[in-house]
Amino acid sequence: NAGVTQTPKFQVLKTGQSMTLQCAQDMNHNSMYWYRQDPGMGLRLIYYSASEGTTDKGEVPNGYNVSRLNKREFSLRLESAAPSQTSVYFCASSPGYGYTFGSGTRLTVV
Amino acid sequence: DQQVKQNSPSLSVQEGRISILNCDYTNSMFDYFLWYKKYPAEGPTFLISISSIKDKNEDGRFTVFLNKSAKHLSLHIVPSQPGDSAVYFCAASRSRADGLTFGKGTHLIIQP
């Protein structure tokens, strides 16, 4: 019963480097989401995908791109990492209203 | 502009007593509300939800109340247990596919 799996769990990047955060779900959910959590800020939506083949911007999309590779996988890419992107990133999936979250990726950009 | 507000960053409650966590929202288009619980180094987990057509939903020790006219909801935990110590996030949604809008969270501490 994997649910939502995120890789990697931890990552340190230098400013300007690029990387892709991976997310996969095995619950056959249509919708998938990427959030970031910063101290005192709660969770803020970066991008979401309501169904395979569609993606939409959330509250804080700048500096990120996403790919909904298939129904299972939704990746988040940082093309040129900045210290302001230091955060904990959570992927979630949903069949409707209720979300299932992954355990998060802690990213530090130095 | 914060659409979902949790004005108490932390709350300390004695074990066995009632914990009441509050949440206010500004967007009248929200029609579904959820509470999530989060432990350190883990993802948030779903706790309880309520749709805008109801004013109360109960699940074991957890009850959520919705006051649409005041744009206010609250989570009651009775009785509070040590394992309830966590950060609780209030969230709201306008439609099934839109992303949830979260509050900043309330850190609940259950004192023995």
Side-chain angles (χ1 to χ4, degrees):
Chain A
N1 242 15
V4 177
T5 302
Q6 290 184 236
T7 55
K9 292 193 183 304
F10 302 94
Q11 184 71 49
V12 179
L13 287 179
K14 292 183 179 178
T15 297
Q17 284 186 316
S18 63
M19 82 159 293
T20 300
L21 281 65
Q22 307 287 353
C23 176
Q25 51 98 2
D26 61 2
M27 296 169 287
N28 203 36
H29 289 169
N30 284 322
S31 302
M32 297 185 74
Y33 307 83
W34 276 104
Y35 283 85
R36 60 179 287 174
Q37 185 192 11
D38 301 295
M41 296 296 291
L43 289 97
R44 293 182 293 169
L45 182 63
I46 305 171
Y47 269 94
Y48 66 101
S49 171
S51 61
E52 187 179 352
T54 68
T55 60
D56 286 286
K57 294 179 180 179
E59 181 186 355
V60 288
N62 291 343
Y64 305 96
N65 285 303
V66 290
S67 295
R68 183 75 183 266
L69 304 168
N70 47 55
K71 192 170 187 178
R72 288 188 66 246
E73 298 172 287
F74 188 38
S75 62
L76 179 72
R77 183 161 178 84
L78 287 71
E79 290 291 350
S80 179
S84 61
Q85 294 177 304
T86 293
S87 189
V88 181
Y89 291 85
F90 289 100
C91 177
S93 72
S94 174
Y97 282 110
Y99 283 18
T100 299
F101 281 88
S103 57
T105 296
R106 185 173 292 274
L107 176 67
T108 303
V109 183
V110 298
Chain B
D1 180 32
Q2 211 183 342
Q3 297 187 67
V4 178
K5 300 177 185 178
Q6 293 178 258
N7 292 320
S8 299
S10 67
L11 175 68
S12 184
V13 175
Q14 220 169 2
E15 183 179 354
R17 306 292 287 267
I18 183 171
S19 295
I20 300 176
L21 292 87
N22 293 303
C23 178
D24 297 293
Y25 62 96
T26 58
N27 191 336
S28 57
M29 298 297 290
F30 288 143
D31 65 355
Y32 203 75
F33 305 89
L34 306 90
W35 285 94
Y36 281 81
K37 177 179 180 179
K38 186 183 181 304
Y39 293 118
E42 295 183 11
T45 55
F46 171 73
L47 196 57
I48 193 169
S49 64
I50 188 167
S51 77
S52 59
I53 61 172
K54 293 186 174 182
D55 55 18
K56 177 182 174 182
N57 189 26
E58 198 170 349
D59 184 2
R61 296 186 298 115
F62 304 92
T63 303
V64 57
F65 295 92
L66 175 63
N67 182 333
K68 287 188 291 295
S69 60
K71 295 191 177 67
H72 176 83
L73 63 156
S74 61
L75 174 68
H76 293 212
I77 306 174
V78 184
S80 299
Q81 298 175 353
D84 296 331
S85 294
V87 177
Y88 289 78
F89 290 100
C90 172
S93 177
R94 291 180 303 170
S95 73
R96 282 185 172 268
D98 282 357
L100 291 174
T101 300
F102 284 83
K104 293 184 177 182
T106 296
H107 185 194
L108 177 64
I109 302 161
I110 305 302
Q111 306 276 12

